[in-house]
Amino acid sequence: MTVNLRARLARAPLATAAVACLLSLAAFWVAQRAANVTMLDLSVYRAEGETVLAGGDLYAMRATSANLQTTYPPFAALLFTPLTLLGVPEMRTVATAGNLLLLVALVRLSLRLVRPEAPARALWTTALWAAAVLVWCEPVWTTLRYGQINLLIAVAVLWDFTRRAGHRWAGVGTGLATAVKLTPGLFVVLMLAVGLLGLRRDGGRGGDWLRRSALATGVFVLVTAASAVALPYDSRNFWTRMIFETSRVGRKEETANQSLNGVLARLLHTTDPGVWWLVAALLVGGAGLAVAVLAALRGDRPVAVVACGVTALLVSPISWSHHWVWCVPALVLLAVRARPVWTAGVGLVFGSFALWWVPHAPAPVRLELHQNPGQMLLSGLYTLVGLGLLAAFALKLRREGGAGGDGTAIGPPAGSADDRVRLPAQGRHDPAGAAGGQALAKE
């Protein structure tokens, strides 16, 4: 009896977290249904699958009342063909349930990325509590509202970056994600750069990064080639024409576009910032990738991954607000390393839906071109947070280098104060977590 009681008490924190998470996800599901979400993008995915099976022109297709077009590479359309086996109500139910599970997986992988040494039970307990809260942030809400695949892409990439050194499949997730949606390709560039630079410092681990980049590239090429065999016309059409037609994705100046391109369009009151965006994207892209590479070389993989993800969002021609599900690993990183006030501030940005407080309207109305300074600030919050994170990471790396770091490590720094921090095993506050030697805002 005593043993059973102790076992039940030991399971209580995890069980409590599971119940809380389940209740929050159920409430979220009810709220989405009450809001009568349309899941338009999911309908487009299904139409792409139908077009492929019917032998139609994939990039001439138009779907839903919004007359939406295909924007992903042909490989994505092949993946969407199973959606045609389901009715629309069943498809929406499966997509919602799948995305909620993917959110839990994303939080769990984010925690493993930041605290790889923590006990599995503590990771799951914390992940369930965190997922119960993070499900309500705007990028997650909007991802499920449209039936988007952002959570799947982020999970595939994070799975790769949480594998141990020498893992035979590390790189496959990023390769597949890039074949579906091109922006994760920046992570392949990160792997390659760290591998090449790492060879001069630690050949073994540098080789591991190169192996991952090679596997990711190989997977991307393989599935893209297979798609070309299955869909030759559509593949030729995409890689020679459609890949350059960014207007197919949507209007640059829309409030939902939280990339540098979108902010500059609203700031300059133009539908096309042109060379201004190109210059900004090159500068921020180069700086952000440099931060990610330097962090990886110094063994700080969480900062490297978050910096790379944020950089990809900033420099992309269009990064809709639902693409910013990378706020999940970013918030997990901040919660572990930064002061609570910074974590709360960033969480408020993504949880307040503030970018939608400004005047906005679907085409052909262009209210975003007439925003005042206050409205521009609100409609560029994600971009500002992304730039702020990159600046904070760069400052952290500079201070660590100035304190005597030689930048030679390319694995987790052994014996660091950061390694000694543990997640709360029973869901209690761990005061040590606030004292990590790599805290972003405390140095």
Side-chain angles (χ1 to χ4, degrees):
M1 177 66 75
T2 303
V3 173
N4 289 337
L5 179 59
R6 287 179 179 175
R8 290 179 182 179
L9 289 174
R11 289 193 298 267
L14 180 59
T16 302
V19 170
C21 184
L22 184 61
L23 289 175
S24 180
L25 298 185
F28 178 92
W29 195 322
V30 171
Q32 288 250 316
R33 292 299 174 265
N36 194 29
V37 296
T38 57
M39 304 187 82
L40 279 180
D41 289 344
L42 182 62
S43 296
V44 175
Y45 299 158
R46 190 174 192 269
E48 290 180 24
E50 291 174 338
T51 302
V52 166
L53 294 177
D57 186 338
L58 186 59
Y59 295 98
M61 180 208 78
R62 298 294 184 273
T64 77
S65 58
N67 204 34
L68 298 176
Q69 308 174 72
T70 304
T71 59
Y72 296 160
F75 176 63
L78 292 173
L79 291 183
F80 296 147
T81 53
L83 295 176
T84 61
L85 301 175
L86 301 173
V88 173
E90 293 80 11
M91 177 184 67
R92 291 180 175 180
T93 298
V94 170
T96 301
N99 266 324
L100 292 176
L101 291 175
L102 284 169
L103 172 64
V104 176
L106 180 60
V107 178
R108 174 65 171 76
L109 288 170
S110 300
L111 286 165
R112 182 174 178 180
L113 178 72
V114 178
R115 284 288 176 266
E117 79 290 346
R121 185 182 185 83
L123 287 177
W124 276 115
T125 301
T126 308
L128 291 170
W129 281 113
V133 176
L134 292 171
V135 70
W136 297 98
C137 68
E138 190 274 343
V140 175
W141 171 277
T142 313
T143 287
L144 273 84
R145 171 190 176 187
Y146 292 127
Q148 262 282 345
I149 59 171
N150 307 302
L151 291 168
L152 178 61
I153 296 294
V155 165
V157 172
L158 273 191
W159 185 88
D160 277 349
F161 281 90
T162 52
R163 298 308 96 190
R164 67 184 184 276
H167 194 286
R168 69 172 62 183
W169 300 112
V172 171
T174 306
L176 290 173
T178 305
V180 172
K181 198 170 186 178
L182 298 179
T183 48
L186 191 62
F187 287 96
V188 183
V189 178
L190 171 65
M191 295 175 187
L192 178 62
V194 175
L196 291 174
L197 292 172
L199 283 178
R200 297 187 306 169
R201 307 174 183 203
D202 185 335
R205 289 186 175 178
D208 183 64
W209 283 90
L210 284 178
R211 187 195 60 77
R212 293 176 185 230
S213 69
L215 183 57
T217 303
V219 168
F220 169 78
V221 171
L222 178 63
V223 298
T224 300
S227 302
V229 172
L231 302 171
Y233 174 78
D234 292 322
S235 294
R236 183 172 61 254
N237 198 15
F238 177 81
W239 294 107
T240 60
R241 290 182 50 213
M242 300 306 167
I243 190 174
F244 304 108
E245 295 184 6
T246 57
S247 60
R248 294 176 61 86
V249 183
R251 294 185 293 131
K252 300 180 181 69
E253 76 277 5
E254 284 190 48
T255 297
N257 185 12
Q258 292 295 299
S259 71
L260 289 168
N261 204 14
V263 169
L264 286 172
R266 295 187 290 272
L267 184 64
L268 300 174
H269 304 291
T270 177
T271 59
D272 186 8
V275 68
W276 293 105
W277 166 72
L278 182 60
V279 171
L282 288 174
L283 290 174
V284 173
L289 187 59
V291 168
V293 170
L294 183 56
L297 288 171
R298 293 187 178 176
D300 199 340
R301 187 172 297 188
V303 167
V305 171
V306 173
C308 188
V310 168
T311 300
L313 292 169
L314 290 174
V315 303
S316 176
I318 291 183
S319 293
W320 300 127
S321 66
H322 52 77
H323 294 166
W324 282 80
V325 293
W326 284 96
C327 70
V328 172
L331 284 168
V332 169
L333 176 61
L334 291 175
V336 173
R337 295 192 183 180
R339 293 182 185 275
V341 64
W342 294 112
T343 306
V346 174
L348 183 63
V349 168
F350 290 107
S352 64
F353 291 70
L355 69 151
W356 297 112
W357 299 353
V358 303
H360 57 277
V365 182
R366 299 183 183 272
L367 296 179
E368 290 90 344
L369 294 179
H370 307 286
Q371 292 180 352
N372 60 42
Q375 292 168 341
M376 288 182 190
L377 177 64
L378 288 177
S379 67
L381 282 176
Y382 291 7
T383 304
L384 292 174
V385 167
L387 292 172
L389 284 173
L390 291 182
F393 294 155
L395 182 60
K396 167 185 177 292
L397 292 168
R398 181 183 178 185
R399 288 177 173 174
E400 286 179 350
D406 61 3
T408 59
I410 54 177
S416 66
D418 188 55
D419 284 338
R420 293 193 296 269
V421 179
R422 293 293 189 270
L423 287 169
Q426 300 299 329
R428 296 187 297 271
H429 173 67
D430 180 7
Q438 298 180 13
L440 296 177
K442 296 179 182 180
E443 297 177 2

